[in-house]
């Protein structure tokens, strides 16, 4: 099965095209049937809320986007001030008045009226009676009107706020003949308390549905709702736990005589899901119960193989085939992690082909009871054609969508259709369901096409097999493979797919192999004569400078490209050193090697583009050239927290610009530096052009104090950077040389009440505690709006309980040890007497330099006045409506490295962009993991000098600019003028 996971798309599609194909006669009958279904769908649009919303508010229009954005956030905002800001932000620019009274649906028109009212609130529209009414009624009335509109939208997708309400709604006339599969939540669990609450909700739902088994309803379960760390790295923990919980739910459902279906998850969880589902399916206690089932996503390349697996189980399995629910996030994850290929199809038509091929397999399977979830008339007609007179399967649709498609099939033709029905509070579920609407309302989807009057029936019912065959099954041209993400500029580094259990096992074996880490004692030990060592190193580099400087830019860039290739070839050894010497976790070790390779390729590309001599304009008879040349010997001084990526990034930037380098790693991490320098020499960098010196502060001081050093690139503490700066200017006989410094910061993340708490907490945990908090960009100060502080802090404390602290070579480890005893002692001393109240801390192993992840509550932002470089997070609150003032209070600390903002208000993002005095601002995402070439990294103020590493201006700082002007008239004038027709004698 795994051979399909990252296989090239055309290879996977080839057998699917054959399987999904239909004969001309069948195709003719299918089109005829689909045409009738289209007519039913269109006639039902007066009853179907979603169809009417899609008609009235197209998702590619400003009104459609505003509506969905407002619905996603409005109901969770508790304070009126932020609610008004959100209304103003989302409704202010949209023309809601143009939609009033146009829909045949009273509910759609009522919702539109609420939006019109909201637009008036934000100062738009004419100063007529409506605006005067708003002035008299006040803002609370307007918020109520918008809130009512949002709740109406919630009713489109939410079957009921409770399971009892949902079951009562299923008895309404519009649902006659249909059954339901009730889903009790939207978001995945972030804490063990969440998981326990969701488990109890499932138990309650099974109990309620089981009170009326004759109704034929069922319950759907998300495994990610039952464990907050449902991920491959935690296989040994979560698979047994989830198997036990799913067994309990299945036994309960079997006892009640109802069906239970396990929903599909992201592709990286597929193997775990199958292990859990297979374990429960084989239980003797469930023998004879045919209600167990699972969902399969047709957009996955392994979908057909999963069907074969399910058919091979020794029992009947109910299988619900869906198109897929995580397409965009799967694409992004694959690109970010630099994996070989996508786990899914990149064209909508390819997913349709896969769906049809898998559907045919399901109809032919011995042990599968098929369920086909679709809103596509062509898909439904094709399945009906293939099934013939059989009724031994069912269709499924989302609640609120597909009205008209199945009514005739169910009530007149005896087919079965089940409604997938979310249950829960609108406030909790709308964020999830809006994303589902976007998935099903994309331009290429059948639902969206149906609402587009410009499309003909032939276009809507076009054969997906013919579409894909016409492009040879190729990948979508707008979705490059991860390796080609940056186009012709530079090749993206390759990652490791840790969701593949076999690859994960091999990686764990590699990083723990002590034989790969050569214990070179001479390198690891501090030198006895630091001054002599440095003097000799600088002399070698100084002598090598003329030759290396004279090497062409293309040749120097080629060395960097070869070095990048060698880094990836030697990845196993480099990762092992990162884990064993620098205590990097496995994902961080992968990222370290990738970033180092990215620096090499990016700077090579930048050098080829920008280090050429430039001819400048001037008067006739004059030639003006600007050259960018090396300055001489550069000292590059690297930190221990990125001992390969930053060490090499600084170094290769100096080398490719024509400088020679004396490179000094941190005293804690000399082995990885030695390995990197050895590879650079193998790549073609002369041994005297790159010289490694190791040791502590005495070596660094001797290096920066050598007057032959023409520039310093340093990453480390602000105090050390200031000492280096003083050294470079205090000697009156020394030339003025550049200093590139990247230092730390008191990095803050600001969260307002529109933010999704689950997303905030995930990003806070990653930003604060990944790498044991030992990143320059790590989150140090979390600032939460007062009205939602208790919710966010409570969820954050629960998420901290899921962290695993331990051996960095264990894939389950989230937080490893800090780098050395000095760091440990400093952090532990502060934890014993913090500036604030300790809200949460965790137990850690007794042996090792493990600092417990800690959450400290401050009474004011100003209480945190220095950076604590470890897994310690401070939290404070800020008042609604004071975003600008809050940013100013953070700016006043003088640091300027990173800042984060979580908000659904676009204006808030604009304010942060305008006011935040930081080098890197991250909005609605984590604050770590800057990507070379995409997110240039570096700070200002107390956080660094710039230019930004991995950015288009970085190389210039390493260069000397030299202008040459030649008077050509002295050699006979400008001969080109003689060819001109004008003038002359």
């Amino acid at each position: 099965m795994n051979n399909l996971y990252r296989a090239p798309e055309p290879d996977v599609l080839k057998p699917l095209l054959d399987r999904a194909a239909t004969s001309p006669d069948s195709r003719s009958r299918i089109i005829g049937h689909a045409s009738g279904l289209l007519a039913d769908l269109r006639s039902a649009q007066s009853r179907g809320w979603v169809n009417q919303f899609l008609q009235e508010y197209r998702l590619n229009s400003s009104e459609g986007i505003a509506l969905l954005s407002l619905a996603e956030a409005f109901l969770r905002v508790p304070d009126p001030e932020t609610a008004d800001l959100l209304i103003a932000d989302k409704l202010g620019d949209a023309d809601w008045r143009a939609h009033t009274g146009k829909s045949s649906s009273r509910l759609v028109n009522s919702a539109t009226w609420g939006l019109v009212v909201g637009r008036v609130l934000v100062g738009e529209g004419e100063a007529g009676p409506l605006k005067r009414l708003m002035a008299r009624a006040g803002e609370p009335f307007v918020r109520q009107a918008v809130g009512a509109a949002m709740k109406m939208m919630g009713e489109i997708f939410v079957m009921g706020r409770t399971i009892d309400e949902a079951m009562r709604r299923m008895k309404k006339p519009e649902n006659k003949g249909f059954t339901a599969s009730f889903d009790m939540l939207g978001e995945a669990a972030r804490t063990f308390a969440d998981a326990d609450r969701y488990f109890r909700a499932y138990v309650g739902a099974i109990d309620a549905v089981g009170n009326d088994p004759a109704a034929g309803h069922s319950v759907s379960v998300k495994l990610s709702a039952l464990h907050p760390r449902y991920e491959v790295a935690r296989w040994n923990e979560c698979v047994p736990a989830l198997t036990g919980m799913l067994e309990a739910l299945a036994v309960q459902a079997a006892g009640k005589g109802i069906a239970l279906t396990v929903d599909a998850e992201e592709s990286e969880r597929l193997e775990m899901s199958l292990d859990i589902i297979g374990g429960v399916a084989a239980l003797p206690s469930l023998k004879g119960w045919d209600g167990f089932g699972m969902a399969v996503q047709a957009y996955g390349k392994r979908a057909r193989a999963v069907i074969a697996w399910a058919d091979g189980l020794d029992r009947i399995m109910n299988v619900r085939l869906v198109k897929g629910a995580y397409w965009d996030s799967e694409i992004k994850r694959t690109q970010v992690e630099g994996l070989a290929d996508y786990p899914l199809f990149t064209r909508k038509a390819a997913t349709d082909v896969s769906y049809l091929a898998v559907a045919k397999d399901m109809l032919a399977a011995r042990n599968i009871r098929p369920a086909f979830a679709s809103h596509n008339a062509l898909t439904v007609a094709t399945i009906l054609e293939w099934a013939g007179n059989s009724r031994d399967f069912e269709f499924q649709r989302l609640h609120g969508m597909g009205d008209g498609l199945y009514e005739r099939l169910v009530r007149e033709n005896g087919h079965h259709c089940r409604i997938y029905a979310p249950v829960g509070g609108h406030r909790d579920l709308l964020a999830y369901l809006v994303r589902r609407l976007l998935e099903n309302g994309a331009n290429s989807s059948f639902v969206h096409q149906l609402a587009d009057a410009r499309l003909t029936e032939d276009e809507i019912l076009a054969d997906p097999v013919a579409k894909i065959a016409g492009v040879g099954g190729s990948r979508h041209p707008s979705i490059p493979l991860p390796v080609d993400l940056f186009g012709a500029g530079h090749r993206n580094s390759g990652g490791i797919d840790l969701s593949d259990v076999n690859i994960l096992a091999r990686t764990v074996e590699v990083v723990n192999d002590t034989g790969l880490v050569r214990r070179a004692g001479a390198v690891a030990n501090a030198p006895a004569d630091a001054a002599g060592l440095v003097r000799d190193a600088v002399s070698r580099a100084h002598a090598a400078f003329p030759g290396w400087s004279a090497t062409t830019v293309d040749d120097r860039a080629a060395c960097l490209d070869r070095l990048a290739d060698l880094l990836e070839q030697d990845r196993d050894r480099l990762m092992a050193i990162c884990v064993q010497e620098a205590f990097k976790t496995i994902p961080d070790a992968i990222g370290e090697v990738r970033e180092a390779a990215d620096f090499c390729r990016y700077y090579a590309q930048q050098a080829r583009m920008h280090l050429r001599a430039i001819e400048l304009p001037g008067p006739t008879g004059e030639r003006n050239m600007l050259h960018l040349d090396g300055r001489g010997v550069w000292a590059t001084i690297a930190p221990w927290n990125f001992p390969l990526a930053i060490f090499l990034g600084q170094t290769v930037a100096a080398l490719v610009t024509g400088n020679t380098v004396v490179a000094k790693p941190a005293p804690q991490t000399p082995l990885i530096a030695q390995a990197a320098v050895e590879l650079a020499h193998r790549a073609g960098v002369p041994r005297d052009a790159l010289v490694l010196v190791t040791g502590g502060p005495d070596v660094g001081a001797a290096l920066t104090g050598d007057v032959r050093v023409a520039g310093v690139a340093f990453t480390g503490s602000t105090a050390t950077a200031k000492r280096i700066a003083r050294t470079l200017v205090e000697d009156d006989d020394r030339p003025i040389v550049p200093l590139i410094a990247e230092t730390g910061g008191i990095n803050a993340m600001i969260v307002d009440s529109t933010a999704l708490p689950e997303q905030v907490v995930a990003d806070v945990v990653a930003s604060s505690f990944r790498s044991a908090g030992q990143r320059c960009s790590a989150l140090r100060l979390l600032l939460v709006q007062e009205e939602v502080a208790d919710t966010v802090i409570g969820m954050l404390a629960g998420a901290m309980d899921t962290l695993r602290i331990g051996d960095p070579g264990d894939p389950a480890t989230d937080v490893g040890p800090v780098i050395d005893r000095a760091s440990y002692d400093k952090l532990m001393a502060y934890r014993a007497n913090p500036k604030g109240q300790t809200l949460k801390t965790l137990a850690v192993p007794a042996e090792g330099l493990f600092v417990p992840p800690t959450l400290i509550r401050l009474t004011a932002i100003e209480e945190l006045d220095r950076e604590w470089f470890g897994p310690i997070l401070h939290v404070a609150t800020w008042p609604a409506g004071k975003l600008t003032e809050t940013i100013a209070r953070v700016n006043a600390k003088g640091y300027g490295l990173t800042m984060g903002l979580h908000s659904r208000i676009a204006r808030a993002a604009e304010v942060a962009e305008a006011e935040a005095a930081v080098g890197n601002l991250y909005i609605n995402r984590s604050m770590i993991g800057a990507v070379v070439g995409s997110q240039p990294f570096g700070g200002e103020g107390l956080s660094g000098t710039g230019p930004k590493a991995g950015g288009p201006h970085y190389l210039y700082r390493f260069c000397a600019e030299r202008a040459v002007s030649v008077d050509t008239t002295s050699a006979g004038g400008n001969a080109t003028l003689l060819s001109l027709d004008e003038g002359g004698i």
Side-chain angles (χ1 to χ4, degrees):
M1 186 183 298
N2 272 359
N3 63 330
L4 297 170
Y5 192 16
R6 306 287 177 187
E9 202 159 334
D11 295 350
V12 181
L13 277 169
K14 187 174 180 181
L16 299 179
L17 287 166
D18 294 337
R19 185 64 169 159
T22 56
S23 67
D25 288 346
S26 291
R27 172 72 182 164
S28 177
R29 289 192 296 271
I30 289 168
I31 291 298
H33 201 163
S35 181
L37 293 173
L38 273 181
D40 288 345
L41 274 166
R42 284 177 168 145
S43 68
Q45 285 185 351
S46 60
R47 303 192 307 271
W49 295 6
V50 172
N51 290 332
Q52 292 173 70
F53 262 100
L54 285 174
Q55 279 190 313
E56 196 63 41
Y57 302 112
R58 300 288 303 280
L59 300 187
N60 56 2
S61 68
S62 60
E63 290 85 4
I65 294 169
L67 176 62
L68 293 177
S69 300
L70 186 62
E72 194 271 342
F74 183 81
L75 295 180
R76 66 170 174 265
V77 178
D79 60 293
E81 187 160 9
T82 306
D84 292 343
L85 290 173
L86 182 67
I87 292 170
D89 188 73
K90 302 307 177 190
L91 303 189
D93 295 329
D95 185 10
W96 301 104
R97 190 183 296 273
H99 296 271
T100 55
K102 299 184 82 174
S103 174
S104 59
S105 167
R106 180 184 60 82
L107 288 170
V108 172
N109 287 331
S110 298
T112 299
W113 175 249
L115 302 174
V116 171
V117 169
R119 190 171 190 269
V120 173
L121 164 69
V122 302
E124 303 292 337
E126 300 172 358
L130 181 59
K131 194 156 190 176
R132 290 195 296 273
L133 170 64
M134 294 304 100
R136 291 197 303 271
E139 294 176 356
F141 170 75
V142 176
R143 284 191 296 274
Q144 284 186 340
V146 174
M150 295 302 99
K151 288 176 181 177
M152 286 180 186
M153 188 170 178
E155 289 182 20
I156 294 173
F157 296 109
V158 179
M159 179 64 78
R161 286 162 292 186
T162 65
I163 186 65
D164 290 334
E165 182 181 327
M167 292 179 67
R168 286 196 300 272
R169 190 169 178 182
M170 277 302 299
K171 295 179 180 179
K172 289 189 174 182
E174 62 263 27
N175 294 321
K176 181 182 179 182
F178 290 82
T179 54
S181 181
F182 297 111
D183 179 11
M184 300 307 297
L185 77 156
E187 303 295 339
R190 293 292 181 200
T191 70
F192 287 110
D194 287 341
D196 180 65
R197 183 173 73 255
Y198 295 147
F199 179 78
R200 286 185 279 108
Y202 286 136
V203 169
I206 293 170
D207 187 60
V209 174
N211 288 334
D212 185 14
H217 302 317
S218 62
V219 174
S220 291
V221 174
K222 286 179 103 66
L223 295 177
S224 56
L226 298 176
H227 199 287
R229 298 302 300 272
Y230 182 39
E231 51 202 64
V232 174
R234 293 287 190 94
W235 186 297
N236 293 335
E237 171 191 344
C238 67
V239 168
L242 284 167
T243 301
M245 285 185 278
L246 184 60
E247 176 185 355
L249 295 175
V251 168
Q252 181 193 6
K256 291 284 188 176
I258 65 170
L260 183 74
T261 301
V262 181
D263 274 338
E265 306 274 358
E266 295 88 341
S267 63
E268 66 264 28
R269 293 168 166 164
L270 178 61
E271 289 183 84
M272 285 193 300
S273 295
L274 297 185
D275 203 13
I276 295 164
I277 293 167
V280 173
L283 290 171
S285 58
L286 298 178
K287 209 166 187 65
W289 173 56
D290 290 343
F292 192 46
M294 60 185 289
V296 175
Q297 302 186 103
Y299 71 15
K301 291 176 177 176
R302 296 175 289 181
R304 196 176 181 197
V306 173
I307 294 302
W309 174 87
D311 194 31
L313 296 175
D314 188 24
R315 63 170 298 121
I316 294 295
M317 286 292 290
N318 301 315
V319 178
R320 177 170 71 226
L321 183 63
V322 301
K323 295 289 174 75
Y326 307 99
W327 187 87
D328 52 351
S329 60
E330 298 265 21
I331 293 287
K332 182 175 181 179
R333 172 183 170 268
T334 304
Q335 292 178 342
V336 168
E337 296 187 9
L339 303 181
D341 206 329
Y342 299 103
L344 41 73
F345 301 108
T346 58
R347 295 179 186 266
K348 175 66 169 62
T351 294
D352 290 340
V353 168
S354 174
Y355 191 99
L356 293 174
V358 172
K360 186 175 283 187
D361 287 353
M362 291 170 63
L363 288 169
R366 294 174 304 148
N367 295 322
I368 287 178
R369 184 177 295 150
F372 302 110
S374 179
H375 303 131
N376 187 315
L378 181 66
T379 300
V380 171
T382 303
I383 290 169
L384 291 171
E385 169 72 15
W386 289 343
N389 295 323
S390 172
R391 297 293 186 273
D392 194 19
F393 64 94
E394 69 178 31
F395 291 109
Q396 294 191 5
R397 67 172 178 85
L398 289 173
H399 166 60
M401 298 185 75
D403 289 339
L405 180 60
Y406 291 111
E407 279 78 358
R408 190 188 303 272
L409 293 175
V410 168
R411 293 166 187 164
E412 297 179 16
N413 299 333
H415 288 284
H416 305 282
C417 184
R418 189 176 300 273
I419 298 172
Y420 186 82
V423 178
H426 299 162
R427 175 184 177 277
D428 299 320
L429 284 183
L430 263 180
Y432 172 79
L433 294 170
V434 163
R435 291 197 295 276
R436 184 62 60 87
L437 174 61
L438 286 168
E439 292 156 4
N440 287 279
N443 286 338
S444 58
S445 77
F446 183 85
V447 171
H448 191 95
Q449 290 177 338
L450 184 66
D452 189 345
R454 297 169 298 181
L455 293 177
T456 67
E457 186 171 297
D458 287 344
E459 290 173 312
I460 293 174
L461 300 179
D463 184 6
V465 174
K467 285 183 182 179
I468 295 303
V471 296
S474 63
R475 185 174 20 85
H476 195 290
S478 298
I479 305 176
L481 287 175
V483 69
D484 300 320
L485 186 61
F486 301 106
H490 68 282
R491 190 169 89 239
N492 190 18
S493 57
I496 298 177
D497 190 357
L498 298 181
S499 69
D500 185 313
V501 289
N502 296 320
I503 294 175
L504 177 62
R506 180 196 169 278
T507 303
V508 171
E509 183 179 355
V510 162
V511 301
N512 291 288
D513 184 352
T514 56
L516 291 174
V517 183
R518 297 196 298 274
R519 296 291 176 184
V523 174
N525 296 330
D529 180 13
L533 173 78
V534 170
R535 186 169 53 251
D536 292 345
V538 176
S539 295
R540 289 172 57 194
H542 188 70
F545 171 68
W548 178 248
S549 170
T551 305
T552 68
V553 170
D554 286 337
D555 286 345
R556 297 195 301 259
C559 286
L560 267 61
D561 283 333
R562 288 193 294 270
L563 175 54
D565 293 342
L566 290 172
L567 288 167
E568 293 189 314
Q569 291 169 22
D570 205 20
R571 181 170 58 190
D572 288 354
R573 180 169 70 103
L574 297 174
M575 286 177 57
I577 302 173
C578 285
V579 170
Q580 296 179 45
E581 181 183 52
F583 307 142
K584 293 273 182 179
T585 61
I586 293 174
D588 285 349
I590 296 170
E592 188 82 15
V593 179
R594 290 191 64 208
E595 187 173 4
D598 285 336
F599 272 131
C600 291
R601 293 193 179 106
Y602 179 72
Y603 291 146
Q605 175 237 358
Q606 290 289 304
R608 292 186 182 101
M609 288 174 58
H610 301 303
L611 298 189
R612 309 288 184 189
I614 304 171
E615 185 166 1
L616 302 174
T620 184
E622 189 173 282
R623 182 169 177 267
N624 298 292
M625 301 297 296
L626 181 66
H627 300 269
L628 295 171
D629 298 324
R631 290 176 174 271
V633 179
W634 273 72
T636 61
I637 303 173
W640 48 261
N641 63 334
F642 285 92
L644 179 63
I646 291 180
F647 174 82
L648 268 184
Q650 297 177 154
T651 298
V652 299
L655 286 169
V656 80
T657 46
N659 301 283
T660 53
V661 177
V662 178
K664 180 198 170 298
Q668 297 92 338
T669 53
L671 295 177
I672 191 67
Q674 182 191 40
V677 170
E678 289 172 352
L679 292 177
H681 291 157
R682 283 176 53 193
V685 177
R687 290 188 174 275
D688 288 346
L690 172 57
V691 184
L692 178 71
V693 295
T694 62
D698 52 344
V699 173
L703 182 56
T704 58
D706 194 308
V707 296
R708 293 170 295 174
V709 168
V712 177
F714 167 79
T715 302
S717 71
T718 303
T720 302
K722 287 184 174 182
R723 285 197 296 271
I724 294 172
R726 285 193 295 269
T727 298
L728 296 180
V729 299
E730 285 177 350
D731 189 336
D732 292 339
D733 296 327
R734 183 174 192 164
I736 299 171
V737 301
L739 168 64
I740 301 172
E742 188 227 296
T743 59
I746 300 179
N747 309 312
M749 178 188 288
I750 301 171
V751 178
D752 75 13
S753 60
T754 69
L756 183 66
E758 290 83 356
Q759 182 186 1
V760 169
V761 167
D763 289 341
V764 168
V765 169
S767 301
S768 302
F769 304 123
R770 186 169 172 179
S771 309
Q774 299 173 119
R775 291 182 182 231
C776 303
S777 60
L779 173 61
R780 311 295 179 196
L781 178 60
L782 175 64
L783 303 174
V784 188
Q785 189 180 317
E786 292 168 351
E787 288 79 2
V788 294
D790 290 345
T791 298
V792 171
I793 292 172
M795 187 179 292
L796 174 58
M800 289 175 65
D801 284 329
T802 73
L803 293 172
R804 180 79 62 83
I805 300 107
D807 177 8
D810 182 344
T813 293
D814 301 300
V815 182
V818 295
I819 190 64
D820 58 19
R821 172 61 64 174
S823 296
Y824 175 84
D825 290 343
K826 183 185 296 184
L827 292 166
M828 293 301 285
Y830 174 69
R831 288 183 65 259
N833 187 27
K835 284 193 174 183
Q837 176 193 2
T838 298
L839 297 180
K840 183 74 178 181
T841 190
L842 302 177
V844 298
E847 298 294 325
L849 301 175
F850 296 100
V851 173
T854 304
L855 181 64
I856 297 171
R857 178 71 177 262
L858 304 177
T859 57
I861 293 173
E862 289 70 22
E863 285 187 278
L864 185 62
D865 56 6
R866 60 166 295 181
E867 177 185 38
W868 293 99
F869 207 74
I872 298 175
L873 174 63
H874 302 80
V875 60
T877 61
W878 61 282
K882 299 295 183 181
L883 177 60
T884 300
E885 294 85 345
T886 301
I887 293 173
R889 292 168 72 185
V890 175
N891 288 343
K893 296 182 180 296
Y895 292 90
L897 189 55
T898 65
M899 185 181 292
L901 172 71
H902 267 271
S903 175
R904 292 299 191 262
I905 301 175
R907 176 59 185 157
E910 293 170 1
V911 168
E913 189 172 352
E915 302 294 333
V918 295
N920 289 76
L921 176 64
Y922 296 103
I923 297 173
N924 291 330
R925 53 153 288 172
S926 76
M927 291 168 53
I928 62 172
V931 177
V932 173
S934 292
Q935 297 139 12
F937 187 78
E940 57 194 65
L942 294 174
S943 296
T945 63
K948 298 169 81 63
H953 304 136
Y954 191 63
L955 294 186
Y956 295 126
R957 187 66 168 156
F958 290 86
C959 298
E961 288 189 279
R962 291 166 178 159
V964 179
S965 183
V966 179
D967 181 3
T968 60
T969 60
S970 63
N974 187 350
T976 60
L977 292 178
L978 299 179
S979 65
L980 301 178
D981 292 334
E982 303 297 328
I985 57 175

